Amino acid sequence: MNDYIKESFEGSRKAGLIAAGALDEVKKIIKPGINTEFIDKLCFEYINDHGAYSAPLFYRGFPKSCCTSTNHIVCHGIPSKKILNEGDIVNVDVTALKDGWHGDTSKMFEIGEVPIKAKNLIKATHESLIKAIEILKDGIFLGDIGSVIQSHVEAKGFSVVQDFCGHGIGKKFHQEPSILHFGKKGTGEKIKTGMIFTIEPMINLGNYETKILNDGWTAVTKDKSLSAQFEHTVGITKDSYEVFTKSNSNENL
């Protein structure tokens, strides 16, 4: 690895560790009866306490430090005084900016006992992300990532959101390349050593179509079906990959 790649990996590693730590803290407190603004405050304080900044805050006018997307909200849900109820599912998406480098990650949380259909959706979404990460190495194609995700979730009767995608990340929050979560194997740009990007499949229980609410941010499923998402920031090495946003706890990716 050249010096720039080493620097970018080290910077992404530090930022990713903080972002992952914020989600570990969320896991400790999330339960029925709390509101999503409380989650936002916790994430802001954790990231700030670790010498970093919550990158979503004021990014293109976004008003909060993290995204909280409940039930049929696909992504970019704005934390509010909305109470989380038994049976809800929620994605919490955090990005830490540390010493000029970004670490971006999200995961699903089940609020109390959730319906089996929600559990199955969450499980399939997480599996699709892991399967996509496991194929990563220098020389494969971006289309290979989308193909793995799409084939896995569609075989289980779910659909892949096509209006949003993963992205390159580093000193900029969002940059090239775009990482589609659907597609054909062997198509698209070749992946090269040193690339850093997010993979963040958004998977719906119903149709893949989405719409943006009047706040200009919140994306929801058009048919109001449940949606789930997981996200990691990854870096490409010669023969493999590194996940920068792996949980600090003992659990797997």
Side-chain angles (χ1 to χ4, degrees), residues 10-93:
E10 181 60 30
S12 299
R13 201 175 289 129
K14 287 178 180 176
L17 199 62
I18 295 168
L23 290 184
D24 286 340
E25 291 303 304
V26 170
K27 185 178 179 181
K28 294 175 185 176
I29 59 92
I30 201 162
K31 62 182 180 181
I34 71 166
N35 64 37
T36 51
E37 218 163 54
F38 182 74
I39 295 170
D40 181 73
K41 184 171 182 285
L42 179 108
C43 289
F44 173 82
E45 289 177 352
Y46 180 90
I47 291 170
N48 191 60
D49 288 347
H50 286 78
Y53 179 77
S54 292
L57 186 59
F58 307 132
Y59 179 76
R60 295 180 180 170
F62 190 77
K64 296 291 184 177
S65 294
C66 69
C67 300
T68 52
S69 303
T70 54
N71 298 328
H72 74 292
I73 298 176
V74 176
C75 60
H76 305 153
I78 301 172
S80 68
K81 298 202 184 302
K82 174 183 167 56
I83 297 292
L84 295 174
N85 296 310
E86 183 92 13
D88 285 343
I89 62 173
V90 58
N91 175 273
V92 180
D93 189 340

Side-chain angles (χ1 to χ4, degrees), residues 184-212:
K184 292 184 178 178
K185 193 172 180 181
T187 63
E189 185 182 340
K190 260 194 177 178
I191 291 174
K192 297 183 178 68
T193 300
M195 277 185 167
I196 297 174
F197 51 81
T198 71
I199 307 176
E200 46 185 295
M202 287 151 265
I203 308 302
N204 295 347
L205 191 64
N207 193 279
Y208 68 86
E209 292 179 313
T210 68
K211 65 178 182 179
I212 307 292

